[in-house]
Amino acid sequence: MLLTITIILSFLVAVNFILLIFSCNKTTKRANQKPENRPTFIVSKNIGVSSDSAQLAATGS
């Protein structure tokens, strides 16, 4: 019985690895591919705490 369970589990692990190998998405890089247009981030350096928001609200805890 222990031998049967070991054989079944070994078979299932082998099938799992075979499916894993064949299901991987293989991508290739093209040599003459243009870089993608990346989004431009606008950074503002005028970020500060105003005196109005310095006072915290009561949380009740």
Side-chain angles (χ1 to χ4, degrees):
M1 181 176 156
L2 187 60
L3 182 63
T4 305
I5 293 172
T6 305
I7 291 172
I8 291 172
L9 286 177
S10 300
F11 175 74
L12 290 175
V13 168
V15 169
N16 191 18
F17 278 117
I18 290 171
L19 290 174
L20 180 67
I21 290 171
F22 288 115
S23 68
C24 289
N25 293 331
K26 296 176 182 171
T27 59
T28 58
K29 292 184 178 180
R30 296 179 188 165
N32 295 330
Q33 188 177 15
K34 293 181 181 178
E36 297 178 8
N37 292 335
R38 297 189 181 216
T40 304
F41 295 102
I42 300 173
V43 178
S44 174
K45 294 186 179 185
N46 295 333
I47 299 174
V49 178
S50 66
S51 62
D52 296 336
S53 65
Q55 185 177 8
L56 299 176
T59 59
S61 59

